[in-house]
Amino acid sequence: MTRQRYVTEFGMGTDVHGSDMTKAACRAVSAALRPPGLNFFKALGRTPHDMEIDVLIGAPDPDAVDTSEVAKQLPYGTVRVEVTKGGLAISPDEGSDAIVIANAGVKVYLADA
């Protein structure tokens, strides 16, 4: 069975205080999901639960991202989350409270029937 990509969206999320990679990643996914209104399911005889969703997160510290928390940002479908080194960490002028920025790429597929 092959998959056909129907949607590709991108987002950026930040955590200004706390350097929380997961929070920044979740915000990036949320930003990616805001624009699209997916209205093609009925025309294809499918539901949102049929989606296969691949999420790629770029974060300064990939090991600090809780992928299960990121996956919870997507309420439908089968979600796979991959994290790679990326994003940005902006050093503070004082202390250790860096601003972290994560990027998200979200691809939505439906398997051929």
Side-chain angles (χ1 to χ4, degrees), residues 9-100:
E9 289 292 341
F10 307 93
M12 180 190 79
T14 61
D15 182 33
V16 177
H17 298 290
S19 302
D20 188 320
M21 300 293 160
T22 300
K23 187 180 288 184
C26 288
R27 288 177 176 168
V29 170
S30 179
L33 298 178
R34 284 195 187 110
L38 305 179
N39 299 311
F40 56 81
F41 296 107
K42 187 174 180 180
L44 296 173
R46 304 295 186 78
T47 74
H49 297 288
D50 295 321
M51 292 186 294
E52 296 178 19
I53 304 167
D54 293 343
V55 177
L56 177 61
I57 299 292
D61 183 0
D63 294 332
V65 176
D66 182 340
T67 57
S68 64
E69 282 300 311
V70 173
K72 288 179 187 176
Q73 303 304 303
L74 300 140
Y76 301 105
T78 302
V79 181
R80 286 177 292 280
V81 178
E82 178 185 345
V83 185
T84 188
K85 185 144 181 78
L88 184 65
I90 301 171
S91 300
D93 292 335
E94 299 175 2
S96 60
D97 194 18
I99 297 170
V100 294

